[in-house]
Amino acid sequence: QVDSANAGRVLASDAAVFLKKSGLTDLVLRKIWDLADTDGKGILNKQEFFVALRLVACAQNGLDVSLSSLNLPVPPPRFTDTSSPLLLSGTASSDVPWAVKLEDKAKYDAIFDSLNPVNGLLSGDKVKPVLLNSKLPVDILGRVWELSDIDRDGMLDRDEFAVAMFLVYCALEKEPVPMSLPAALVPPSKRKPISVPGAMPLIPSSASTKESHQSLPPVGILAAKTPLTQWVVSPADKIKYDEIFVKTDKDMDGFVSGVEARELFLKTGLPSALLAHIWALCDTKDCGKLSKEQFALAFYLINQKLMKGIDPPQALTPEMIPPSDRGVSLQKVRMGLTFLYSCIVCWSSREKNNVEQDLKEKEDAIKQRTSEVQDLQDEVKRESSNLQKLQAQKQEAQETLNDLDEQKAKLEEQLNDIRQKCAEEAHLIAMLKAEITSQESKISAYEDELTKAQEELSRLQQETAELEHCIESGKAQLGPLQQHLQDSQQEINSVRQCDPFKDDPFGKIDPFGGDPFKGSDPFAADCFFKQSSTDPFVTAGIDPFSSADNSNNTTVSLVAHLLIAYILWTNYFVHLECLEKLIFRNHIDKRLSPASWCYLVFFVSYLLEIVKD
């Protein structure tokens, strides 16, 4: 159909239009083209075109797009062009149940509604943050978006969003994201019912492909050896695998489908591609289900990989073929040999015509190859020029990389110096913190001492104020006494001028001549009243109270003494009270302030004068 001119080759433009109908991304299709067009001539012959179709099927079934995947059994490729029955898959996708479960669909719908869809659609800007939260690589997320946007409108509806979330969760569970959307993941709303009678697959089925790669012995030898070959699955293992089969066969139809076995197979921890290969090997009838013997063989191959690390073969060996399928294989070989014989007979009758037609085709091919060679030479020149440019760019990039390496070395050296300085500063900061802590403790002690000193100062200031108050009180009392003394002195002077007691009735007799305290000193035991050897009141040999005065002076002197004694006696109790406060209060502190000491000395001297008088 692609080679409409029946030229035996497909141009790149025609192949690109056709291969895009597979639904694969341009990046995957470009890789498929490079692998198929091995010579790089820009065209594909029939064999190369078959290789491209085979790689498309591998990509659609989640396998790696490489030449090593060509021998793996895969279903036929699927294309979206429904105008030709030759491009339809043999299985109607409408019959496949949707892989998204109902409970998961409800959870995905809740997330869909939380993103505020517009007219039931979500734009890429709204879906992007949700996909990025999965922390998956950007290329994987890009493939998820392409697979989910089934109608290619740049928006996701409710079902497409559910497909995207399903693929994301599968990728988070280390399952590979397929290169194309499997039929089981296509939402029912996006499926188109297909019913074309007599639809044929584009390439042979996986069963016939497997058989084509097997080297089968002649019919007689196979018939002789097959019944004698022992099956690799031992009877004990067969019993154990049959128990697992009964638990897995939920619909009790005697077969295990892919949907029923999927979860069980994934629990083994083997890659999905390897499990798919094992499934294809065991599904010898290519019916999508496994019988008991086929299921036992599948688990035997899985255990060989898990326990011994033995990879499954590319094709089943005779001892691996289940006993119930060996007769079928023999029949297939016989049918194949019969078909081969008929082909040989047919070829003999048409050999001549084919040779002539081949000669004509070869001539046309030579002409076209000549033009193709010229085109290739021109392309080689262009590629050589591009290669030189790329080499120059590579050289510039290498120089830039070297400069960046030098800058990196310098920055690392600076970083080491900064780290060393930071360590030194951190040590110095630690020392300063310790010193600050010590200083704070000292300051706290000094503050305590200062508080005590302030309290002591306050107390002393209070005492000083009290003493000053006493002094002021004494001064206030002394003023009237001095005035009274002056008045008395004036009276004495006036009396001296006019003496009313010229005739002394007592004559020369002194009624106070006797000293009642003579010979005894009441203050002799007090250290504060020690007798002084000198008289502090003797001045220039003149004694105002000397007994050498006349009788008039004696009388005046007696009156003066009595008056002064009265004054002193009255003032004595005032000073005695101050002294008592001073002595008893300071006796507790065991110390005297300078003001208290001066007051004490003054008062003691004052008392000495009184005693002497």
Side-chain angles (χ1 to χ4, degrees):
Q1 192 178 51
V2 180
D3 183 17
S4 58
N6 198 19
R9 60 185 179 273
V10 175
L11 299 179
S13 58
D14 297 335
V17 174
F18 173 76
L19 293 177
K20 282 186 177 181
K21 297 177 181 180
S22 64
L24 299 177
T25 61
D26 293 340
L27 180 62
V28 177
L29 293 176
R30 190 179 301 112
K31 186 176 180 180
I32 291 174
W33 178 267
D34 293 338
L35 292 175
D37 186 13
T38 55
D39 298 333
K41 55 186 179 296
I43 61 174
L44 298 180
N45 56 26
K46 184 177 294 186
Q47 184 63 30
E48 292 170 341
F49 186 74
F50 289 164
V51 171
L53 294 179
R54 186 77 174 185
L55 293 174
V56 168
C58 293
Q60 289 178 341
N61 288 275
L63 300 178
D64 186 21
V65 180
S66 62
L67 295 178
S68 60
S69 301
L70 291 176
N71 294 328
L72 297 178
V74 291
R78 299 181 300 275
F79 297 90
T80 57
D81 188 2
T82 59
S83 62
S84 174
L86 298 178
L87 302 180
L88 297 177
S89 175
T91 304
S93 60
S94 59
D95 297 335
V96 180
W98 197 21
V100 181
K101 298 180 181 179
L102 294 178
E103 55 270 18
D104 295 337
K105 181 63 166 60
K107 179 173 63 175
Y108 302 151
D109 289 344
I111 301 175
F112 181 86
D113 295 332
S114 65
L115 298 178
N116 299 323
V118 178
N119 297 327
L121 298 175
L122 287 177
S123 62
D125 295 336
K126 292 185 177 181
V127 179
K128 181 179 179 181
V130 179
L131 298 180
L132 291 177
N133 286 337
S134 65
K135 308 300 182 183
L136 292 174
V138 179
D139 56 342
I140 298 296
L141 295 178
R143 193 189 309 172
V144 169
W145 173 266
E146 291 182 1
L147 295 176
S148 305
D149 189 11
I150 300 174
D151 50 11
R152 298 291 186 270
D153 60 350
M155 310 280 282
L156 296 184
D157 59 16
R158 190 178 296 272
D159 291 342
E160 291 173 334
F161 182 78
V163 173
M165 296 304 296
F166 180 85
L167 293 174
V168 167
Y169 279 106
C170 289
L172 291 176
E173 294 177 0
K174 307 303 181 183
E175 294 187 17
V177 178
M179 302 303 295
S180 65
L181 194 64
L185 271 180
V186 178
S189 60
K190 304 294 181 181
R191 298 178 183 178
K192 296 180 179 179
I194 300 172
S195 58
V196 180
M200 298 295 292
L202 183 61
I203 61 177
S205 64
S206 59
S208 61
T209 304
K210 289 185 291 183
E211 292 175 1
S212 65
H213 289 288
Q214 296 179 6
S215 57
L216 298 177
V219 179
I221 298 176
L222 181 63
K225 290 185 178 180
T226 301
L228 302 177
T229 303
Q230 186 178 2
W231 195 26
V232 292
V233 181
S234 64
D237 292 340
K238 178 66 166 57
I239 295 174
K240 180 173 62 176
Y241 299 150
D242 288 346
E243 294 178 357
I244 302 176
F245 177 87
V246 172
K247 295 179 181 178
T248 309
D249 184 15
K250 304 211 176 147
D251 54 2
M252 303 298 289
D253 60 349
F255 293 92
V256 171
S257 64
V259 177
E260 293 174 338
R262 179 178 181 276
E263 184 176 357
L264 179 62
F265 276 34
L266 290 177
K267 286 182 179 180
T268 61
L270 294 178
S272 300
L274 182 61
L275 293 174
H277 177 54
I278 293 175
W279 178 276
L281 287 176
C282 298
D283 187 9
T284 56
K285 297 181 180 179
D286 196 20
C287 61
K289 296 181 179 182
L290 298 182
S291 64
K292 277 189 178 182
E293 292 181 350
Q294 294 169 343
F295 184 83
L297 177 62
F299 257 88
Y300 168 79
L301 296 176
I302 290 173
N303 284 333
Q304 287 290 102
K305 178 62 177 176
L306 292 176
M307 305 300 294
K308 300 180 181 181
I310 301 176
D311 293 327
Q314 293 298 324
L316 293 179
T317 59
E319 64 272 9
M320 289 184 180
I321 299 175
S324 59
D325 295 339
R326 293 180 181 179
V328 178
S329 300
L330 180 60
Q331 184 179 1
K332 287 184 178 179
V333 173
R334 289 175 177 172
M335 292 174 62
L337 291 176
T338 304
F339 176 74
L340 178 61
Y341 175 76
S342 62
C343 289
I344 292 175
V345 174
C346 182
W347 178 80
S348 299
S349 63
R350 299 178 182 178
E351 181 178 3
K352 182 179 179 180
N353 295 331
N354 290 338
V355 170
E356 293 177 355
Q357 186 177 358
D358 288 342
L359 289 175
K360 185 177 179 180
E361 290 179 356
K362 292 293 183 183
E363 291 176 356
D364 296 337
I366 290 173
K367 294 179 182 179
Q368 185 170 354
R369 288 289 178 133
T370 303
S371 62
E372 291 175 358
V373 168
Q374 184 63 35
D375 295 338
L376 290 175
Q377 289 177 351
D378 297 337
E379 187 175 357
V380 167
K381 292 181 181 179
R382 293 194 299 270
E383 293 296 333
S384 299
S385 177
N386 294 333
L387 180 61
Q388 293 178 357
K389 294 180 181 179
L390 291 175
Q391 288 178 347
Q393 294 178 0
K394 177 183 177 182
Q395 184 65 25
E396 294 178 358
Q398 186 63 37
E399 294 176 356
T400 305
L401 183 61
N402 295 334
D403 295 339
L404 292 175
D405 290 338
E406 294 178 359
Q407 295 179 5
K408 178 184 177 183
K410 293 180 181 179
L411 292 175
E412 288 179 350
E413 184 178 357
Q414 294 178 2
L415 180 61
N416 292 331
D417 295 339
I418 292 173
R419 286 177 177 173
Q420 184 177 1
K421 291 181 180 179
C422 288
E424 294 176 356
E425 292 294 333
H427 179 67
L428 180 59
I429 290 172
M431 295 177 60
L432 291 176
K433 287 183 177 179
E435 186 176 355
I436 289 172
T437 304
S438 176
Q439 293 292 337
E440 287 178 350
S441 62
K442 291 181 180 179
I443 290 172
S444 178
Y446 291 156
E447 288 178 350
D448 294 341
E449 293 182 0
L450 178 61
T451 302
K452 293 180 181 179
Q454 289 177 348
E455 293 176 356
E456 180 66 19
L457 177 60
S458 176
R459 187 182 61 80
L460 294 177
Q461 290 176 350
Q462 184 177 1
E463 291 180 357
T464 303
E466 292 177 358
L467 292 175
E468 289 177 353
H469 178 69
C470 293
I471 292 172
E472 291 296 330
S473 178
K475 287 181 180 180
Q477 295 178 4
L478 184 60
L481 291 176
Q482 289 177 351
Q483 183 65 35
H484 189 65
L485 181 60
Q486 290 178 1
D487 295 340
S488 301
Q489 187 65 35
Q490 291 178 1
E491 290 180 1
I492 291 171
N493 292 333
S494 62
V495 169
R496 286 180 179 177
Q497 294 177 1
C498 177
D499 189 5
F501 301 99
K502 289 183 179 180
D503 296 331
D504 187 1
F506 299 98
K508 302 295 184 178
I509 300 172
D510 186 3
F512 300 100
D515 187 357
F517 300 99
K518 185 176 183 179
S520 63
D521 188 359
F523 300 101
D526 196 340
C527 62
F528 293 99
F529 300 100
K530 291 182 180 180
Q531 297 295 329
S532 176
S533 59
T534 59
D535 189 354
F537 297 99
V538 177
T539 57
I542 301 173
D543 188 2
F545 302 101
S546 176
S547 58
D549 292 339
N550 53 20
S551 60
N552 292 331
N553 291 335
T554 299
T555 305
V556 174
S557 177
L558 179 60
V559 174
H561 277 73
L562 291 175
L563 182 59
I564 290 174
Y566 171 76
I567 294 172
L568 293 178
W569 183 259
T570 304
N571 204 25
Y572 169 76
F573 290 101
V574 177
H575 289 282
L576 184 62
E577 182 181 0
C578 293
L579 180 62
E580 180 183 5
K581 292 181 180 180
L582 179 65
I583 293 175
F584 282 96
R585 183 170 299 172
N586 287 280
H587 179 68
I588 298 174
D589 298 343
K590 302 299 183 181
R591 58 183 179 179
L592 296 176
S593 63
S596 301
W597 173 256
C598 293
Y599 185 79
L600 179 60
V601 173
F602 167 75
F603 187 71
V604 170
S605 301
Y606 192 64
L607 290 179
L608 287 175
E609 293 178 4
I610 295 175
V611 171
K612 287 183 180 180
D613 290 341

